[in-house]
Amino acid sequence: RRILPMVFVGLLIHGCGSGGVGDDGNSSKDSPDSIKQPGEPTEISYNPGGNNSSTSIPAGTSVLTPFTVKESAEVGSNEFPVTAVFPLPFGVYQDTEKLHITDDEGRAVPAQFEVLNRWWSRDNSIRHVMVHFFPDIEAFDGENSNTGISSYNFVKSDSVQVIPNNPVVVNDFDSFISVENNLIDLTIEKSPLRIFTPAGELKSLFWDENDQLDQSFLHDQVDIEVEENGPLRSIIRLSSKTVFYDPENIKHGWAMRIYAYANSPLIRVEFQLQNSAINSRFSAPLFFKGHHLSIETGSNAVNFQLRADTPPVADVHSLPLGVIKTNDVNVHLRNFQQTFPNGLSQDGSGTIEIELWPAWSRKFQHNKYIDMDMHWLDDMQHTYKEILLDFNAARSEVGSDKLAKVFEFPPVPVIPLSYYKETGATFDLGGFVPDSSLGAVDNSTNRRPYYAEVEYDLQREHTRYAFGIDNFGLDMSRKLAVSMTGGWPDTRQAFYYSGKPAEYFDALDYAKGELNIRPQWLGAYTHVADHELVKPSCNPYAGSTWRHHSGNHEDTLSRGADDVPGYSQSANPRDDQHAWFYHIEGAYYMSGDRWIYDWYKFMSEFKQKYLHKLDAFPDFSSRSIGHNLAVSMSAYKAIGNAPLKEAINTFVDTHLTDVMKEPHNVKSSSYDYDSESHIEAPFQLGFMLRSLIDFSYEVNGDTEALQIIQDGIEWNYQYANFCYYCSVTSTESNVGRSGTGLTL
């Protein structure tokens, strides 16, 4: 972890009362026309003291890739932090000391580098690096695709390190943590947990189903971690586990991240409400009256409230953003309308309420409000929302409005597709990118996600309406019917190819919808410590839970619709046969999102059950193997979990080789391996072989995996001929073919 090691010129991070987004939004225009080719060595100059002289950076400096940052809010940006994720080729970088960012004139841009993941199975060299910095971008005018773009370079250099003005400083003492940057300071007292901001104490207030107040920060066991430690960005992560006492008494779990930045009055808060008990094999929905974050400013104020409680029926982008401006802090709630119901308010005593699950609202489910005065989280559901606290209370109304727009649609770094091809680190199949995909130009004048009319229609089938906290971002066609016939897994990786910010936002929303809405998460679960008690499983075909599966039609919830009239599950988790999580990985390497990291951490533990064949009613059809290996590999690449890798190795090298059938050495997807009718479908085989190619690439070749791939391809070429289902033991060639074989 370090700051950009270059002589610093003209800090681009603006403090309280400065220009840019805060007031006028102006910045210089950069032309993308001078972009160099990836990896092309170049001698670049910088301005060391703000004068007109220029000095060459030491010999040996080279541009690894040029890249751009695109503005989407149409107001300009120069004080909002962004994160770019750069792939790195295998075997080249063990640390980040020589990596830097420069602008298009070769001047050093202050940036912080964090290793996102490594080539764990090979030499442990860096695979992706996150770069945090503050881009300076003019406003996109909404009509000219060449506006709102700034050009930068990702470079390798031996330059010396420098420290920015007002870096973030985190001091972790026995009883408290302090976070400061000379503009603002934050204090986190550890036991009991209390968080003091420049505007007052921050609290988390949860009212249970009996309307009893439960303050999240006063839970008995709170874990605190300094997750990133500046100097440009620091993250403090706090969390407390869900505890199941009985079906009507569940202590809510939660996690929160607090982000602080160098030379900035901004604090970002992301709060995740959790219902994922691991102290019991079975659990129940978590019913509650409301959940707010509260800041007690102690200032006299005029009562004010802003609510998002009406389903959007047209152009959600034209609706008011979630902004409340006070004398002490300006509060922004992202996706205010998209994830309604939401609210922001301040009372006469100055207490600010950030109403994430408003106590005044009923639950909105599918396409209507439920006639019940409670919200709920399904068992194994985690949901988080994003808040920005701006402690530059003197910021003008215009400045606050601009900042809100940038928070809603932040600048998007765009890395050339040719660099992804060159590094071979990001995509599966060995980083494969067809040459025909290179050279695409983004001529779009719409940089925000577009929603079709059907997604606003409350009268259509409920799985089509796209808004509300239980809808937004989700794969709506399979919200409940995860096993419906047809369709393909969606990677949502179009942004890598197009460079369109709208597709970036779409990909991130799609991944967050998966994490926020589907009940498929157990916080703090580990295979070694928790499997014997919890025994979670996603095996049941079209099942409604990942809780322990002890047989068809067995209850896994200890409380449901019969006990609470009006309750029904909001979404179903994906089953083994349709474990389509390919879109999560694409979003992760676009953004470095820390909540995706948390989910992969869980999956890296959870999937060891499948790989160790511990399910009582296993499904080892080829598509199930393919999907489970794919998400296991994604989790391993993200986390580097050594026991997970060993489980994958054992599964491939022993289980798969043991079930191959003569004479073609191809496995059967029959439910009974001992049946005389051994059949396989190329569409199922395609999913499995793709994941085996990915596995083999990661471990730099695997004899058993390569043999399975070869035998499967030869069987299809010589005999199966892209059939729907056909024999794996017959020596007669199949003459039919099916469109489903496109997976292979």
Side-chain angles (χ1 to χ4, degrees):
R1 296 189 174 97
R2 58 178 198 87
I3 198 67
L4 178 73
M6 283 190 172
V7 176
F8 172 71
V9 188
L11 188 67
L12 298 182
I13 309 171
H14 297 263
C16 297
S18 67
V21 166
D23 293 300
D24 57 21
N26 292 329
S27 63
S28 60
K29 180 177 181 179
D30 295 294
S31 169
D33 297 334
S34 59
I35 290 178
K36 301 178 179 64
Q37 293 302 308
E40 177 187 346
T42 181
E43 186 177 82
I44 44 184
S45 63
Y46 69 103
N47 190 336
N51 54 37
N52 293 324
S53 64
S54 63
T55 306
S56 294
I57 288 178
T61 295
S62 61
V63 175
L64 300 178
T65 184
F67 69 100
T68 59
V69 181
K70 296 181 180 180
E71 199 268 354
S72 302
E74 301 185 16
V75 294
S77 179
N78 59 7
E79 71 161 317
F80 198 84
V82 303
T83 297
V85 178
F86 290 94
L88 291 170
F90 158 68
V92 180
Y93 298 93
Q94 289 291 340
D95 58 54
T96 62
E97 290 304 310
K98 294 183 182 296
L99 301 177
H100 316 286
I101 299 292
T102 65
D103 65 18
D104 65 342
E105 295 182 8
R107 295 172 299 196
V109 174
Q112 178 178 317
F113 292 73
E114 301 276 348
V115 174
L116 185 64
N117 69 337
R118 293 179 177 272
W119 295 87
W120 313 107
S121 288
R122 300 194 187 184
D123 65 350
N124 213 44
S125 58
I126 300 173
R127 184 171 188 152
H128 289 92
V129 62
M130 289 190 294
V131 186
H132 313 310
F133 67 108
F134 287 73
D136 188 2
I137 321 173
E138 67 170 2
F140 171 54
D141 69 12
E143 296 181 357
N144 186 344
S145 62
N146 292 320
T147 62
I149 300 175
S150 288
S151 299
Y152 292 90
N153 294 295
F154 179 47
V155 307
K156 176 183 177 182
S157 172
D158 294 324
S159 301
V160 296
Q161 296 186 6
V162 295
I163 301 298
N165 291 342
N166 300 316
V168 184
V169 177
V170 176
N171 291 303
D172 188 355
F173 301 107
D174 289 342
S175 60
F176 71 96
I177 295 174
S178 67
V179 183
E180 57 186 47
N181 64 4
N182 290 331
L183 298 179
I184 57 173
D185 58 76
L186 192 78
T187 301
I188 302 172
E189 295 183 357
K190 294 183 177 180
S191 185
L193 176 62
R194 299 184 71 186
I195 301 174
F196 297 95
T197 78
E201 185 173 0
L202 175 67
K203 296 182 177 181
S204 172
L205 309 177
F206 179 90
W207 291 272
D208 67 18
E209 64 177 281
N210 298 313
D211 213 16
Q212 297 298 304
L213 177 62
D214 179 9
Q215 295 199 44
S216 308
F217 298 163
L218 299 185
H219 286 189
D220 293 336
Q221 180 64 45
V222 176
D223 296 319
I224 304 173
E225 175 190 1
V226 179
E227 193 171 55
E228 283 186 17
N229 192 354
L232 193 139
R233 181 177 100 166
S234 292
I235 304 177
I236 312 298
R237 188 184 189 279
L238 309 101
S239 62
S240 181
K241 298 178 185 177
T242 307
V243 181
F244 178 86
Y245 296 109
D246 62 60
E248 298 182 22
N249 185 10
I250 301 174
K251 182 170 282 294
H252 70 279
W254 60 272
M256 182 170 71
R257 283 185 165 91
I258 300 174
Y259 301 72
Y261 308 97
N263 206 48
S264 174
L266 306 178
I267 294 287
R268 185 184 184 110
V269 176
E270 296 172 346
F271 190 95
Q272 183 185 68
L273 196 61
Q274 303 178 351
N275 179 26
S276 60
I278 57 173
N279 67 318
S280 172
R281 179 161 297 177
F282 301 113
S283 188
L286 173 67
F287 294 95
F288 59 102
K289 297 288 189 179
H291 173 256
H292 299 178
L293 295 182
S294 173
I295 303 176
E296 299 177 349
T297 69
S299 300
N300 291 327
V302 176
N303 288 335
F304 174 85
Q305 68 178 21
L306 177 67
R307 292 181 174 181
D309 58 356
T310 302
V313 292
D315 191 10
V316 69
H317 302 316
S318 68
L319 301 177
L321 299 177
V323 186
I324 180 172
K325 183 171 172 54
T326 77
N327 293 330
D328 302 280
V329 58
N330 305 317
V331 181
H332 307 259
L333 178 53
R334 192 166 184 233
N335 292 323
F336 188 67
Q337 304 289 346
Q338 292 92 326
T339 62
F340 76 94
N342 288 305
L344 293 167
S345 65
Q346 185 174 38
D347 64 18
S349 68
T351 298
I352 299 168
E353 300 286 348
I354 307 168
E355 301 162 339
L356 304 182
W357 280 267
W360 44 260
S361 176
R362 295 173 295 157
K363 181 180 178 67
F364 183 89
Q365 187 180 37
H366 304 319
N367 64 344
K368 63 183 179 181
Y369 279 100
I370 303 301
D371 190 17
M372 177 195 295
D373 63 348
M374 290 193 294
H375 304 275
W376 67 77
L377 286 187
D378 291 318
D379 176 38
M380 293 189 68
Q381 184 181 1
H382 291 195
T383 302
Y384 76 95
K385 293 189 179 182
E386 305 165 56
I387 303 101
L388 187 69
L389 304 178
D390 173 23
F391 294 103
N392 178 10
R395 195 184 301 273
S396 68
E397 292 281 356
V398 172
S400 290
D401 181 61
K402 289 181 177 179
L403 180 59
K405 291 177 179 177
V406 175
F407 182 46
E408 189 80 359
F409 293 107
V412 175
V414 180
I415 298 166
L417 182 61
S418 56
Y419 183 66
Y420 288 108
K421 181 179 177 68
E422 178 185 323
T423 54
T426 304
F427 307 134
D428 63 358
L429 303 180
F432 177 75
V433 176
D435 289 338
S436 59
S437 298
L438 302 177
V441 177
D442 175 15
N443 293 318
S444 174
T445 55
N446 181 13
R447 294 185 181 174
R448 302 175 185 179
Y450 168 77
Y451 304 103
E453 287 186 17
V454 66
E455 295 177 273
Y456 292 99
D457 189 350
L458 288 162
Q459 304 307 314
R460 285 184 62 92
E461 180 68 20
H462 62 70
T463 56
R464 296 300 297 273
Y465 185 71
F467 303 103
I469 188 55
D470 280 346
N471 289 345
F472 183 63
L474 190 66
D475 174 6
M476 296 299 292
S477 65
R478 289 175 178 260
K479 182 179 184 182
L480 294 168
V482 295
S483 61
M484 65 181 291
T485 302
W488 316 89
D490 191 344
T491 67
R492 278 300 202 273
Q493 292 185 0
F495 167 72
Y496 289 115
Y497 288 75
S498 71
K500 296 179 180 179
E503 292 183 329
Y504 172 90
F505 295 123
D506 177 67
L508 266 291
D509 290 342
Y510 197 62
K512 291 176 183 179
E514 188 78 27
L515 271 55
N516 276 337
I517 301 172
R518 292 195 189 279
Q520 45 193 28
W521 202 333
L522 290 174
Y525 173 89
T526 66
H527 179 72
V528 170
D530 303 306
H531 173 262
E532 191 57 35
L533 172 62
V534 183
K535 294 187 176 178
S537 171
C538 57
N539 170 57
Y541 186 91
S544 61
T545 179
W546 282 4
R547 283 284 173 181
H548 175 61
H549 178 56
S550 55
N552 291 337
H553 311 298
E554 293 290 327
D555 265 343
T556 54
L557 294 179
S558 50
R559 193 182 187 197
D562 292 340
D563 308 291
V564 184
Y567 167 75
S568 64
Q569 191 156 297
S570 296
N572 282 334
R574 298 183 188 270
D575 56 30
D576 276 345
Q577 300 84 355
H578 306 88
W580 295 359
F581 300 115
Y582 301 87
H583 56 294
I584 306 293
E585 184 172 23
Y588 187 53
Y589 296 129
M590 291 176 199
S591 64
D593 185 275
R594 304 308 297 168
W595 300 103
I596 297 179
Y597 172 88
D598 288 352
W599 186 77
Y600 272 140
K601 192 172 182 180
F602 162 63
M603 293 298 279
S604 70
E605 298 289 339
F606 173 45
K607 283 302 167 186
Q608 292 181 49
K609 173 173 185 169
Y610 181 91
L611 297 166
H612 287 305
K613 302 192 294 179
L614 297 176
D615 264 316
F617 304 92
D619 182 285
F620 290 125
S621 60
S622 296
R623 62 176 171 177
S624 178
I625 291 171
H627 299 322
N628 277 281
L629 279 180
V631 71
S632 297
M633 287 305 307
S634 294
Y636 175 68
K637 284 184 281 186
I639 303 297
N641 183 309
L644 176 65
K645 178 196 173 186
E646 185 59 34
I648 297 171
N649 283 340
T650 302
F651 183 85
V652 172
D653 294 349
T654 60
H655 172 69
L656 282 187
T657 55
D658 287 347
V659 297
M660 296 301 159
K661 298 296 179 182
E662 297 293 342
H664 307 295
N665 293 322
V666 174
K667 70 174 291 297
S668 166
S669 276
S670 302
Y671 287 103
D672 180 2
Y673 287 141
D674 295 325
S675 167
E676 294 183 0
S677 175
H678 295 296
I679 58 174
E680 175 62 301
F683 90 84
Q684 294 214 37
L685 184 64
F687 288 128
M688 188 179 81
L689 296 190
R690 184 183 184 94
S691 65
L692 288 174
I693 293 170
D694 194 23
F695 165 71
S696 183
Y697 178 74
E698 287 304 308
V699 299
N700 199 25
D702 179 272
T703 301
E704 289 79 5
L706 292 171
Q707 188 63 56
I708 293 169
I709 295 165
Q710 178 177 327
D711 290 339
I713 294 297
E714 288 187 349
W715 168 74
N716 179 66
Y717 181 68
Q718 298 287 353
Y719 298 97
N721 194 27
F722 298 102
C723 64
Y724 181 48
Y725 275 93
C726 56
S727 172
V728 298
T729 58
S730 172
T731 56
E732 268 189 51
S733 296
N734 183 71
V735 295
R737 61 194 70 184
S738 167
T740 63
L742 284 171
T743 57
L744 184 58

